Amino acid sequence: MADHDLTQDELDALLAGQPDEKPSKARQRDADDDVVVDSPKPRPGGEVHTRDRKEQRPFDPGSQNRVVRERLHTLEVINERFARQFRMNLFNLLRRNADITVESVRYQRFSDFADAIPTPTNLNIIAMKPLRGTGLVVFPHAMVSMIVENLFGGDGRFITRNDSREFTGTEQRIIQRVLNLAIDAYQESWRSVYPLDINFIRSEMQPKFAAITSSPSEIVVNTTFHLEVGNLESNFKICMPYSMIEPLRDKLTNLRADAGGGNDKLWRQRISQELQSSSIDLVADFVDIPLRLPQVMSLKPGDVIPIELPKKVTATVNNLPVLECEFGSVNSHRALKVTKVLENQKFSSPFQSQESDHDKRF
């Protein structure tokens, strides 16, 4: 196309067509330049075919959702531990059996999480030191009414549904007691994975005053728990920004990270005792005599092989030199006298106690 300009039909074909579609074979000749060009493919009804263009929308980088691909397996274990511990704490408070199950763990934008929260709702902002940021413990109005009803001996017949009033002073004090129990249980469930110091900051009733993220589009981890006490049931949530727990991603995605804890010292001591009580073969070569095979085959009974007594003998364990010794005898038995413990990376520590005792014999 270096010699001729593109016609309007050619421009339309380039803008509207796709590479996998071949142009129509119908041709027309330009009257001025005698250039043969492809004409647009007609539709069955006689109309010229033009591809329907897709709707164009402006690109907003702030509206793009972050995709969390990994699954936080250890966080699910933490939630199960919290459910068991919080169940025991509620039994001590209500003196009634409470059943708590983990419903789901969702990764969503904070704006979607806030839109799904009914108002008024008890939103408790907590700090989880040394993690940066704050989290939320959400107690809906139905759960607060259920706990108050059971705490004062009710059976749920007089609970007000969809009550939009604010919490009374008595309800707020009970909420604080339940929140302290939940914080203690959640802190205990994290202890073996990553010890946290969880503290209550303040309480709100409107989600817009309890923003725990710097942007509404930031991803949060929303865990829903289902609580049943007798014939009454309700859900409550624990929400935290994904950026808060992202430094612990390796611990939370790997189940082995939860297998640590306070038993490491006990396991090390036991393994050390088992290793120290293990039996090994200590081999000491007295002397090496270089001989050829014909010389060995020519030996006869009574032949004498001259040797030179070595001054030092190296004792090995599985071909690893560990001791430098002198050769001798004790009580008519061949023996070795340890003169030096050989350094072999980190394997010399069990023999360090023998360095100063040169008179010990094996």
Side-chain angles (χ1 to χ4, degrees):
M1 302 302 294
D3 299 334
H4 304 281
D5 295 334
L6 293 177
T7 63
Q8 186 62 37
D9 293 334
E10 290 175 317
L11 291 175
D12 294 339
L14 290 175
L15 293 176
Q18 292 186 353
D20 57 336
E21 290 189 8
K22 297 182 180 179
S24 174
K25 296 301 181 180
R27 298 176 179 270
Q28 67 181 23
R29 184 175 299 275
D30 191 283
D32 299 330
D33 300 327
D34 289 338
V35 177
V36 179
V37 298
D38 294 335
S39 61
K41 182 179 179 180
R43 288 186 176 181
E47 299 178 358
V48 177
H49 173 71
T50 57
R51 180 170 296 277
D52 295 331
R53 298 181 180 180
K54 295 183 179 179
E55 180 182 359
Q56 297 180 358
R57 292 178 297 177
F59 177 77
D60 184 9
S63 65
Q64 305 305 308
N65 293 335
R66 179 180 179 180
V67 178
V68 180
R69 300 185 182 278
E70 62 270 7
R71 182 178 176 182
L72 304 180
H73 300 279
T74 309
L75 183 60
E76 297 175 1
V77 176
I78 292 174
N79 292 332
E80 293 292 342
R81 289 180 179 174
F82 167 73
R84 293 193 298 267
Q85 185 66 33
F86 192 35
R87 182 188 306 120
M88 293 186 293
N89 293 347
L90 281 182
F91 175 79
N92 295 331
L93 175 66
L94 303 176
R95 295 301 175 182
R96 297 190 63 179
N97 290 325
D99 186 17
I100 302 177
T101 56
V102 183
E103 287 289 317
S104 62
V105 178
R106 298 186 59 188
Y107 307 93
Q108 57 184 158
R109 294 188 302 176
F110 180 74
S111 58
D112 298 335
F113 168 78
D115 293 341
I117 296 178
T119 55
T121 300
N122 178 248
L123 304 171
N124 302 285
I125 304 176
I126 59 175
M128 303 171 62
K129 301 298 182 181
L131 300 180
R132 301 180 61 182
T134 55
L136 281 179
V137 180
V138 182
F139 292 153
H141 203 288
M143 176 183 171
V144 176
S145 301
M146 179 181 67
I147 293 178
V148 172
E149 181 78 8
N150 283 275
L151 188 61
F152 289 97
D155 56 2
R157 290 180 296 176
F158 303 104
I159 291 184
T160 304
R161 302 291 181 180
N162 299 324
D163 199 348
S164 59
R165 61 176 177 82
E166 295 185 357
F167 296 105
T168 63
T170 301
E171 289 175 333
Q172 291 177 0
R173 288 192 294 270
I174 294 176
I175 290 173
Q176 192 63 41
R177 293 177 62 183
V178 175
L179 178 63
N180 292 335
L181 296 178
I183 289 177
D184 293 341
Y186 203 55
Q187 183 171 290
E188 182 65 25
S189 63
W190 272 87
R191 187 179 304 278
S192 62
V193 178
Y194 191 81
L196 297 177
D197 184 15
I198 304 178
N199 298 309
F200 171 73
I201 298 179
R202 71 177 189 274
S203 179
E204 298 288 348
M205 296 186 64
Q206 299 292 335
K208 61 182 179 180
F209 298 125
I212 59 175
T213 60
S214 57
S215 172
S217 60
E218 188 173 343
I219 299 298
V220 295
V221 182
N222 175 25
T223 306
T224 303
F225 298 89
H226 184 70
L227 172 63
E228 292 185 9
V229 181
N231 297 325
L232 303 177
E233 60 182 18
S234 180
N235 293 333
F236 67 96
K237 303 176 183 292
I238 295 180
C239 177
M240 64 189 75
Y242 183 76
S243 59
M244 173 189 287
I245 61 176
E246 191 171 12
L248 307 178
R249 182 174 56 185
D250 293 339
K251 289 180 175 290
L252 296 179
T253 55
N254 186 7
L255 285 176
R256 286 187 176 182
D258 186 53
N263 294 330
D264 289 347
K265 184 177 181 180
L266 180 62
W267 276 106
R268 284 196 297 267
Q269 292 177 352
R270 178 146 186 201
I271 292 176
S272 178
Q273 293 174 359
E274 293 292 337
L275 289 176
Q276 292 178 7
S277 61
S278 301
S279 299
I280 58 175
D281 293 330
L282 185 68
V283 179
D285 292 334
F286 178 68
V287 68
D288 292 333
I289 303 175
L291 289 177
R292 296 183 179 275
L293 185 59
Q295 295 175 330
V296 176
M297 299 299 295
S298 63
L299 292 176
K300 298 177 182 179
D303 291 346
V304 177
I305 302 175
I307 62 173
E308 184 178 352
L309 292 177
K311 295 181 179 180
K312 302 292 183 181
V313 177
T314 301
T316 62
V317 175
N318 196 19
N319 296 326
L320 180 69
V322 293
L323 298 174
E324 189 176 283
C325 310
E326 294 179 357
F327 187 74
S329 61
V330 174
N331 299 328
S332 302
H333 294 283
R334 301 300 181 185
L336 296 175
K337 180 181 178 181
V338 179
T339 59
K340 183 180 180 181
V341 178
L342 301 179
E343 296 290 339
N344 292 287
Q345 297 179 356
K346 299 181 181 180
F347 302 104
S348 60
S349 57
F351 303 96
Q352 289 178 357
S353 60
Q354 302 173 0
E355 290 183 348
S356 59
D357 187 8
H358 297 307
D359 297 331
K360 186 173 181 181
R361 291 172 173 80
F362 292 81

